[in-house]
Each structure stands twice: as structure tokens, then as C-alpha cells.
């Protein structure tokens, strides 16, 4: 008997050892036979019905065969309220109020894979409650332009940070049984002419910078669907881009799921069918009857349709359809998601500067809170990513309730008008709204605010932008603070130099005027449903700030790469196809007239001649000093970095060191490891982020931290070989608290 048992154990061990882990994408191959059987039963019409929208946020299944429709919902930082079947107008439901998670740039500021994962689980759970199969997110495009309209929605200027967070967001969502639709694939870095601009860039930059976040989420995270972007890449629309969708996505990365176009981003039948698109959103003028006609003429085959259907069904099998009588029967926003939103918000807040006015001192008994950004809710607006939140704690609400606990009085004044713009309907502006971003300071509002400041022990000024200024669909003209904020903050500082500024924005702002008159500056982000609560905890010192900038704050816009090289704004602004297509006169045209209209449009091009020098890669390599550097973020404690050891082997580089919290309160530090090449033949940026870790330490605590860089992450894209390649040689390892705050260095050879 004993022999039998040991033999069985040996067999089990061998079986486990031989069974290679299934590559995440290959998990979608678990039902191929069932899919074969279903396709064999489907009519051509039923197959083609699956290749385009059924409603504005769904594509068809096959009811006859028990294949459920596919239901989509915008993210990426809250499950969007239910829209009308034929458009985006709200359906007016009551149970679809969701948790408003901190937006992309705030999540990125946590530099935490754990937070990204938790965030994904919250999104995934709430999508299920809403009966949704696919979340249209995460949105992971690199923030190439400080003025980019969707900077707030995206994650970082750095591919490694973006990729890590995209990966864990994807894992979190999909572990809850919902599919992600990672977007916008790819090189979607501007809103100007987004529907037609041709992003032209070299292959190495494409691979090492712009595709990296997608690659990790797809290959390691098993992302089940992908949304091709509106724009072109090197001449071809993303929704019919052979290189992106077939050669790279499916060919090299082994993607087994399906692609769904951005809304209005499909451009032809043959292009879509031959070059990698599965589902047209919305409409069926390309992937509807024209597909059936093309099969009749022999231009297409039914097998090509079958392959598209197979890829969709793989995801259909992987994501359980939520029965209609189960979906939307409880409130979407759940307490556990709200708690996650708060945890993320607490870790996202970045302390940019502090000459000692923060945290709020015990002797402060009256605080003047100045600025409409203290009371504006940031959940909705910004187009597709807006959220109807169950609730949202504004900064003023957070500060007021926290101050009450400490017996501190809070007085508020709006200080400036809010730039407002209605997406539709009449532009009726309230008394505290304006239609001019660059409006000068209002003397009455300024006087009221200064009086309050003079009469208080401390001023907290709320500046920044809002979702009418930073939004999908348009890029900012500049990064200046709007509506006379600069004049106001100078006057406030004059009245009371104990002043802290809180910037409420998604992207960077120009702080040349504000910085000298703000002894403390906090980047507060659009920080979700509990943003006000988290901010108050940081301002009053209940928690130490621990966020780090996911992108550079340039001193001025012209210092940033695309501007410095004249690559943006695009000179050839013939009008954006995406917006033009919805113009009533264009809509009234026949298909032939419309095609002629499109063909006659100027062709906007965006040249990426800065190559990989995006963000800090540019500032460091060209030695241009930023206002605040990538990775910058202060705490209320100091951290000691010591005892760094480094080694290199076949598998990569390993660094260990001891991190100490030298302060008197618990705090998190995000340690960052950059790599600089020494004496290399290949051209490299000055340095590149290659590892990071958020570490929690009690007061006085020391911890040994180990960071590893897999050798794969040290490769470059060799255009001659058209493959990843490793350049052997010396590396300088730069360990620190920010890209411009290096504490320890070491050298290794790979
Ligand atoms: C938008 C966005 C995309 C969004 C989609 C549906 O235009 O580009 O991110 O998911 O349409 O709202």
C-alpha cells in the first residue's frame, strides 16, 4: 500500500510539474469545441448581427441559441449611468448611482499595484450589479502632452508605471468575472483632430513607450477585449491597422479576445474585416449588411466572419451573462467600493511643497477656505468617463467636518468664477460661472476672499481646473491657472502668508506665479467619492501624504517635448473628422457624398519626433529643470535610505536596501529605481524607471526592501532585428524618492 501511495504522489507531482501554467490569453481557449458547435448552428445573418452594435452600449448575441447580448459600460473610474438605447442621454434610472473612484491620474499617483487591483475589483463588482459584461477601461494611453484633454483619465507619462497599474486594474476587474476593454489602442495622446489625426512615430518608440501598458495588461493580465483608438498610426486607422491589430496584438502577443471600435471609430467594411476589428460601435453601415454583400461577391468569406464570431464567443463564455431580473436590483455603489475609493484617494494626494504650514497647526482656530474648486463636484463631465455618483464628499465638506472635530471654525468664499460649458442645450451661466477661461479676477469676489483671509489664522486656497477645461474631445490651449486664480492667490498671500494651496485638477498646471506665494502646495486630483474626506485627513495630519507625481509639472508648457519641437499643436487643423461626421449637413449627405467630403478634408498629422523622450525622459536628457519632477511627492516624515546592495545575473538585476521612517508618525514611501546606461552603443534616455514599491512604515521603523528588474525589462526594440534585444554593458542604478531625488546609486554589468 505504501508503495502505491508514494507512486500516486510522484505521479501527481510530475503532472503538476509538467502542466505549464496556462498563458492568461489562452484561458479564453477553454470552450473551442462548444464554440465550433454554436457557429455551425448559426446563420450568416446571426453571425453578422454580432459584429456591430445592437443598442448604444450593447452588441447582439443569438437568443435562439442561448447566446446573451454583450453589455458594455464606460469606466474607467465608475460604472456609467444607464443611457438611452439609442444614445448617451441618461435613462433616468435610480439604482445606477455608482461609486466614483479617483480618476486615472490620481490612481497612478498612488504608485500602488495593490490599489490598482482593489480598484479593479470594485469596478468589476459594480459592473456585475449593473448587468454589464465589459468595462470600457482602463484607459492607459501615455500622457504625452501636458494639455491633453484626457490626461485626467489616463495614468502616467511613464510606460512602466502605466503598465503595472493597467495590469493590476485588469486583474482586479477580471477576477470579479467582468471583462476589461483596454483603451485606446493605440497612440491616442491628443484630442485635437482625434478622429483623423495620423500619429507618426518610429517602431522603437511605439514598442518601448506607447504599447507597453497594453502589452502587459494583455499578455500578463489576460485582458479580454481591446478598443482600437479613433486616430491613425503611421497611416492606418487603428480600427483597421494590420500592424497593430493582427501582427502585434494577435500575432506577437497572442491575444485571443475581441476588439470593439471606439464609438464612431469604424471606417470601412474590408479594412475592419481584414485588419482586425470584431465589433463596430455604433451602427452597422460597415460590419452589417455590407459584410453579407461582400461574401456574396466573394470579396469576403464566411470563414472570416466565423473567426470574428469565435473571438467574441470566447469572451462570452468567459464572462457569465447577468440575468435581466438580477441586474440593477440593488444600488450600484456599495460600501466596500466606497471604502476602496477612500483608500486610493488617501494614497493619491501629493504634497508638492511644504514650508511648514501643513499639517494644520493646533493653534489654528479659524481657516478661510477660498475657491470654487473646494465645492465643485468632479464626478460628472469630461464626456465619456463621467459618473453619476451615489455621493461625493467635496473638499469643503471634508475640511468642515474634520475641523469641527478639532473645534476649528471654517469660513468659505468662492474667490473666482468657474469656467462652465454645457455639453448641450443653452449656455445659461450662473452668477459664479463664466464662459471665459482667461477671465481676469473679479474685484468683488477677490475683495470678499481677501477679507476672509485677513480674518483667519490660515488660508487654504483651492485652485486648478475643472472638467469643462480638461475633458475628452478637446485639449487645453495652455496649462495656465484659469479665471484670475493667479491674481487672487497673490492677494490672499499678501493678506495672510500662512497659506496652503490645493490644486484640484487632472493634469499639470503652470505654477510660476502661484509657487512663490504658496508656502504649501498639494495636488488633490479629481479624487473620487471620498476625495474630500481623504484630503482633510492629509491636511489635518491624520495621515501623512504619500502620493507621487505620475507626470512632470513643467515650469512652462513650452518646455515640454512636443511643444519644444513644434510637434504640437498640429498646424493642419482641417477639422476633426469625428466631430464633422456628426454635423447635420454631413449626416444628410449620401454615403458617396460623405466619402467625397471626407476625402477632401486636410489630413492632420502628429509627428512624434521626440521619440522615446516623453515626460521626464525629455526633461532629464535635455537637462530642462521642471517645476516638479516625475515621481516627486513629500511626506510629513523623512525617510532614510541605506545599505544599498546590487547584483546582476542572467535573470536580471536585484537591489536591496534598508528604508527607515525617521519621523514620528506612520507613513508610506514610494521607492523608485531608475536605470542609466553607461557607455552604451544604443541611444537611451538619461534614465528610465524600472522598478518601484510603496512601503508602509511605522514611526521609527526600518525595513529591508528588495527590488528586482527582470532582464526582459532591460531590453530595447532593435529595429534592425525587428525584435527585442539586450545590450550588454554597464548600468548605473539610481535609487530614490523621486526621479530628481536620488538617494543611493550602484553599478552593475549585464
Ligand atoms: C468615447 C470614448 C471612449 C468611450 C466611448 C463610449 O468617445 O473615446 O473612451 O468608451 O466613446 O462612451
Amino acid at each position: 500500500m505504501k508503495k502505491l501511495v508514494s507512486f500516486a504522489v510522484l505521479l501527481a507531482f510530475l503532472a503538476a510539474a509538467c502542466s505549464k501554467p496556462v498563458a492568461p490569453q489562452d484561458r479564453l481557449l477553454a470552450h473551442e469545441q462548444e464554440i465550433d458547435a454554436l457557429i455551425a448552428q448559426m446563420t450568416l445573418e446571426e453571425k453578422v448581427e454580432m459584429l456591430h452594435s445592437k443598442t448604444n452600449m450593447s452588441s447582439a448575441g443569438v437568443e435562439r441559441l442561448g447566446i446573451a447580448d454583450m453589455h458594455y459600460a464606460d469606466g474607467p473610474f465608475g460604472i456609467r449611468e444607464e443611457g438611452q438605447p439609442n444614445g448617451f442621454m441618461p435613462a433616468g434610472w435610480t439604482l445606477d448611482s455608482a461609486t466614483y473612484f479617483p480618476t486615472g491620474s490620481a490612481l497612478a499617483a498612488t504608485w500602488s499595484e495593490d490599489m490598482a487591483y482593489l480598484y479593479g475589483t470594485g469596478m468589476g463588482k459594480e459592473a456585475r450589479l449593473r448587468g454589464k459584461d465589459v468595462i470600457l477601461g482602463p484607459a492607459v494611453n501615455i500622457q504625452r502632452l501636458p494639455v491633453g484633454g484626457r490626461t485626467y483619465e489616463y495614468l502616467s507619462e511613464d510606460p512602466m508605471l502605466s503598465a503595472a497599474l493597467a495590469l493590476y486594474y485588469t486583474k482586479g476587474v477580471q477576477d470579479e468575472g467582468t471583462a476589461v476593454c483596454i483603451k485606446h489602442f493605440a497612440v491616442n495622446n491628443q484630442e485635437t483632430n482625434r478622429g483623423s489625426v495620423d500619429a507618426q512615430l518610429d517602431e522603437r518608440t511605439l514598442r518601448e513607450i506607447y504599447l507597453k501598458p497594453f502589452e502587459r495588461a494583455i499578455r500578463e493580465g489576460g485582458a479580454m477585449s481591446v478598443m482600437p483608438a479613433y486616430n491613425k498610426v503611421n497611416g492606418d486607422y487603428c480600427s483597421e491597422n494590420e500592424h497593430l491589430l493582427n501582427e502585434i496584438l494577435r500575432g506577437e502577443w497572442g491575444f485571443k479576445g475581441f476588439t470593439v471600435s471606439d464609438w464612431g471609430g469604424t471606417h470601412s467594411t474590408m479594412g475592419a474585416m481584414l485588419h482586425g476589428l470584431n465589433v463596430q460601435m455604433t451602427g452597422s453601415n460597415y460590419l452589417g449588411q455590407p459584410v453579407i454583400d461582400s461574401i456574396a461577391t466573394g470579396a469576403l468569406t464566411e470563414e472570416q466572419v466565423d473567426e470574428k464570431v469565435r473571438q467574441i464567443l470566447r469572451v462570452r463564455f468567459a464572462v457569465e451573462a447577468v440575468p435581466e431580473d438580477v441586474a440593477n436590483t440593488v444600488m450600484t455603489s456599495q460600501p466596500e467600493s466606497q471604502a476602496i475609493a477612500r483608500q486610493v484617494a488617501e494614497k493619491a494626494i501629493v504634497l508638492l511643497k511644504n514650508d511648514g504650514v501643513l499639517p494644520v497647526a493646533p493653534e489654528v482656530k479659524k481657516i478661510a477656505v477660498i475657491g470654487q474648486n473646494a465645492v465643485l463636484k468632479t464626478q460628472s463631465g469630461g464626456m465619456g468617463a463621467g459618473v453619476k455618483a451615489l455621493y461625493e464628499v467635496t473638499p469643503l465638506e471634508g475640511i468642515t467636518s474634520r475641523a469641527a472635530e478639532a473645534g476649528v471654525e471654517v469660513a468659505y468664499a468662492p474667490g473666482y468664477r468657474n469656467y462652465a460649458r454645457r455639453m448641450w442645450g443653452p449656455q445659461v451661466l450662473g452668477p459664479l460661472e463664466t464662459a471665459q477661461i482667461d477671465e481676469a479676477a473679479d474685484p468683488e469676489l477677490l475683495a470678499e476672499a481677501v477679507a476672509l483671509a485677513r480674518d483667519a489664522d490660515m488660508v487654504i486656497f483651492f485652485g486648478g481646473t475643472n472638467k469643462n477645461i480638461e475633458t475628452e474631445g478637446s485639449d487645453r490651449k495652455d496649462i495656465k491657472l484659469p479665471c484670475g486664480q493667479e491674481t487672487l492667490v497673490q492677494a490672499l498671500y499678501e493678506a495672510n502668508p500662512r497659506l496652503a494651496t490645493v490644486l484640484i485638477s487632472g493634469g499639470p498646471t503652470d505654477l510660476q506665479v502661484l509657487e512663490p506665494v504658496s508656502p504649501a502646495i498639494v495636488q488633490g486630483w479629481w479624487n473620487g467619492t471620498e476625495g474630500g474626506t481623504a484630503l482633510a485627513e492629509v491636511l489635518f495630519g491624520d495621515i501623512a501624504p504619500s502620493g507621487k507625481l505620475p507626470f512632470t509639472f513643467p515650469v512652462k508648457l513650452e518646455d515640454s517635448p512636443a511643444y519644444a519641437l513644434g510637434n504640437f499643436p498640429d498646424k493642419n487643423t482641417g477639422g476633426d473628422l469625428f466631430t464633422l461626421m456628426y454635423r447635420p449637413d454631413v449626416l444628410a449627405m449620401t454615403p458617396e457624398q460623405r466619402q467625397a467630403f471626407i476625402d477632401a478634408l486636410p489630413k492632420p498629422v502628429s509627428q512624434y519626433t521626440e521619440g522615446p523622450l516623453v515626460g521626464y525622459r525629455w526633461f532629464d536628457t535635455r537637462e530642462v529643470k521642471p517645476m516638479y519632477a516625475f515621481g516627486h511627492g513629500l511626506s510629513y516624515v523623512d525617510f532614510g535610505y541605506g545599505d544599498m546592495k546590487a547584483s546582476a545575473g542572467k535573470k536580471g538585476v536585484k537591489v536591496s536596501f534598508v528604508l527607515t521612517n525617521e519621523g514620528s508618525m506612520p507613513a508610506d514611501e514610494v521607492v523608485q529605481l531608475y536605470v542609466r546606461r553607461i557607455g552604451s552603443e544604443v541611444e537611451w534616455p538619461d534614465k528610465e524607471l524600472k522598478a518601484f514599491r510603496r512601503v508602509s512604515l511605522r514611526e521609527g521603523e526600518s525595513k529591508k526592501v528588495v527590488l528586482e528588474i527582470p532582464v526582459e525589462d532591460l531590453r530595447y526594440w532593435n529595429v534592425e532585428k525587428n525584435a527585442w534585444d539586450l545590450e550588454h554593458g554597464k548600468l548605473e542604478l539610481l535609487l530614490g524618492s523621486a526621479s530628481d531625488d536620488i538617494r543611493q546609486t550602484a553599478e552593475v554589468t549585464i
Side-chain angles (χ1 to χ4, degrees), residues 74 80 88 150 183-184 194 227 230 262-263 472:
D74 277 312
R80 190 173 182 179
F88 291 105
R150 302 183 82 160
K183 67 188 185 182
H184 307 86
R194 66 172 173 159
M227 183 190 292
Y230 282 132
D262 203 338
W263 270 237
E472 172 191 340

Side-chain angles (χ1 to χ4, degrees), residues 17-174:
C18 301
S19 64
K20 270 183 351 129
V22 175
Q25 282 296 330
D26 291 346
R27 288 183 215 132
L28 287 173
L29 302 179
H31 301 277
E32 293 302 276
Q33 286 69 29
E34 294 152 275
I35 290 171
D36 289 340
L38 278 173
I39 291 175
Q41 299 171 59
M42 290 166 71
T43 66
L44 176 59
E45 287 67 23
E46 287 170 332
K47 296 172 188 174
V48 172
E49 277 306 293
M50 292 184 71
L51 307 188
H52 58 79
S53 63
K54 179 173 180 180
T55 67
N56 188 54
M57 279 285 166
S58 73
S59 52
V62 184
E63 189 175 6
R64 178 177 67 87
L65 297 173
I67 302 171
D69 294 352
M70 196 75 83
H71 293 280
Y72 306 86
D74 277 312
F77 38 78
I79 303 302
R80 190 173 182 179
E81 66 178 309
E82 190 67 14
Q84 299 287 353
N86 60 354
F88 291 105
M89 291 304 285
W93 290 8
T94 50
L95 292 176
D96 60 349
S97 296
T99 297
Y100 160 39
F101 290 88
T103 68
S105 51
L107 170 60
T110 69
W111 288 57
S112 169
E113 293 166 342
D114 294 344
M115 287 299 108
Y117 181 81
L118 274 176
Y119 190 117
T121 61
M123 287 289 293
K125 281 190 178 73
E126 295 200 2
R128 294 277 79 188
L129 292 176
R130 288 269 284 106
K132 302 297 182 179
D133 303 301
V134 181
I135 291 176
L136 302 173
V140 303
N141 297 95
I142 294 296
Q143 294 148 340
R144 174 183 184 238
L145 304 172
V147 295
R150 302 183 82 160
T151 297
Y152 80 92
E153 199 174 341
Y154 297 161
L155 296 168
S156 172
E157 69 186 27
D158 177 79
M160 200 259 158
L161 176 58
S162 296
L165 301 174
L167 170 61
Y168 283 88
Y169 180 112
T170 297
K171 286 170 177 269
V173 167
Q174 299 196 158

Side-chain angles (χ1 to χ4, degrees), residues 489-556:
V489 71
Q490 287 175 308
L492 291 172
Y493 180 72
E494 193 69 36
N496 186 338
R498 179 179 269 189
L499 181 146
T501 287
V502 178
L503 297 166
I504 301 296
S505 69
T509 45
D510 179 325
L511 302 178
Q512 294 178 87
V513 171
L514 181 138
E515 193 278 335
V517 295
S518 293
I521 305 173
V522 172
Q523 176 65 26
W525 307 115
W526 292 332
N527 216 10
T529 226
E530 288 282 358
T533 311
L535 181 65
E537 289 174 318
V538 168
L539 295 176
F540 282 85
D542 301 336
I543 57 172
S546 58
K548 300 281 186 179
L549 289 181
F551 48 67
T552 306
F553 269 60
V555 167
K556 57 186 185 303

Side-chain angles (χ1 to χ4, degrees), residues 57 68 97 185 259 286 310 314 350 404 534 592 620 659 677 710:
M57 279 285 166
S97 296
F185 192 63
T259 60
Y286 295 117
R310 169 183 304 286
R314 283 172 181 159
V350 182
E592 295 68 33
D620 292 349
L659 183 71
R677 310 287 165 148

